[in-house]
Amino acid sequence: MTQPSCTSALRRPAVFLDRDGTLTEPRHYPSHPEDLVLQEGIGPPLQALQHAGFALIVVTNQSGLARGLVDEAAIAPMHRRLQELLARYQVQLDGIYLCPHHPDGAVPRFSIACSCRKPAPGMLHQAASDLDCDLPSSWMVGDSICDVDAGNRAGTRTALVGPQPLAGVVPTLHRTTTAQALSAIAALEIPPARGQDPYAQGARWPPHPRAPRPPALLPKEPPYPSGRPQPSAHLRAEGPIRDF
């Protein structure tokens, strides 16, 4: 007998985050761990969304790999650095998905047209499948038209980050900074009782059953609980790359 499929009520919502210019400060083809610097003020809203049961997932185009501007061996150290920076706020990522492709690249195995490079929704679809996320309940947050388009194509709501709205794109919301966008999402998604401990007895808003325990209960070192897989430097020539 066929088992019933998981309903959206049992799937986690997610916040999909662009990396460069959204989660971290903009850099031109960052290629070293020290190039990654978190945007100011993002720790508290990310922590609030994590407490409420949202998966936090990075989806990033990295055409520098296809162009030969970023070495493959640099990816794992950079994402370890990203984990360490977020762990200072006791925030955990549920996954990092990376597209290394560009059809005009210089590295043959990455120089292809693909279905994962944003604005294509391939990374969001893959992450939702891998992590059992409900796309209509999720958000895509980014600083470019391709981020908003990827979210729209995947069926998420979208938040555009930047000083001005962009012509030709209509996000669900627009804010000047990533911290403001994440705070607006948290205000929309978490009821007014969000200041109450969601794990306290009698809480009005229990977190999703798959939500992680509060960060205060998580070990600070290493940044993930023992046994959680760490990022891998292995890159594939087709499809998005999931680092952990």
Side-chain angles (χ1 to χ4, degrees):
M1 180 170 142
T2 303
Q3 295 294 322
S5 61
C6 183
T7 66
S8 61
L10 296 178
R11 297 188 185 115
R12 291 181 68 185
V15 176
F16 297 96
L17 297 147
D18 174 53
R19 195 188 79 181
D20 306 321
T22 302
L23 188 61
T24 63
E25 293 183 1
R27 296 287 189 273
H28 188 64
Y29 295 116
S31 58
H32 299 92
E34 58 270 21
D35 292 336
L36 299 185
V37 178
L38 292 183
Q39 293 276 7
E40 185 176 356
I42 64 172
L46 283 174
Q47 191 179 93
L49 289 161
Q50 178 179 272
H51 286 182
F54 279 78
L56 304 177
I57 304 167
V58 171
V59 286
T60 176
N61 289 349
Q62 293 297 319
S63 66
L65 286 160
R67 299 177 191 276
L69 301 174
V70 178
D71 189 89
E72 294 178 25
I75 297 301
M78 291 177 72
H79 286 164
R80 280 196 296 270
R81 164 73 170 170
L82 185 59
Q83 295 172 65
E84 291 165 1
L85 292 172
L86 289 168
R88 295 175 185 176
Y89 299 95
Q90 300 183 1
V91 168
Q92 300 177 81
L93 294 175
D94 291 85
I96 300 176
Y97 288 76
L98 179 154
C99 172
H101 307 120
H102 196 285
D104 299 325
V107 178
R109 69 194 188 100
F110 294 143
S111 301
I112 60 173
C114 65
S115 62
C116 56
R117 179 174 169 80
K118 295 176 294 183
M123 285 190 284
L124 283 77
H125 285 155
Q126 188 64 58
S129 175
D130 290 344
L131 301 172
D132 204 15
C133 296
D134 182 52
L135 288 171
S137 300
S138 299
W139 288 82
M140 174 70 220
V141 182
D143 65 333
S144 71
I145 292 176
C146 74
D147 294 318
V148 175
D149 283 348
N152 288 337
R153 294 184 190 187
T156 72
R157 290 160 294 171
T158 55
L160 175 66
V161 174
Q164 300 292 334
L166 299 177
V169 62
V170 183
T172 308
L173 62 85
H174 166 255
R175 295 293 186 274
T176 302
T177 69
T178 303
Q180 291 171 355
L182 293 171
S183 295
I185 292 170
L188 288 169
E189 296 291 348
I190 305 173
R194 64 185 181 278
Q196 181 180 8
D197 178 4
Y199 293 89
Q201 186 174 3
R204 291 174 53 201
W205 180 245
H208 191 279
R210 291 187 178 177
R213 298 299 298 173
L217 301 181
L218 294 175
K220 293 184 178 180
E221 295 292 342
Y224 291 108
S226 176
R228 179 164 181 152
Q230 296 299 306
S232 167
H234 175 65
L235 302 181
R236 294 178 292 115
E238 72 286 340
I241 298 156
R242 183 185 179 193
D243 273 1
F244 58 90

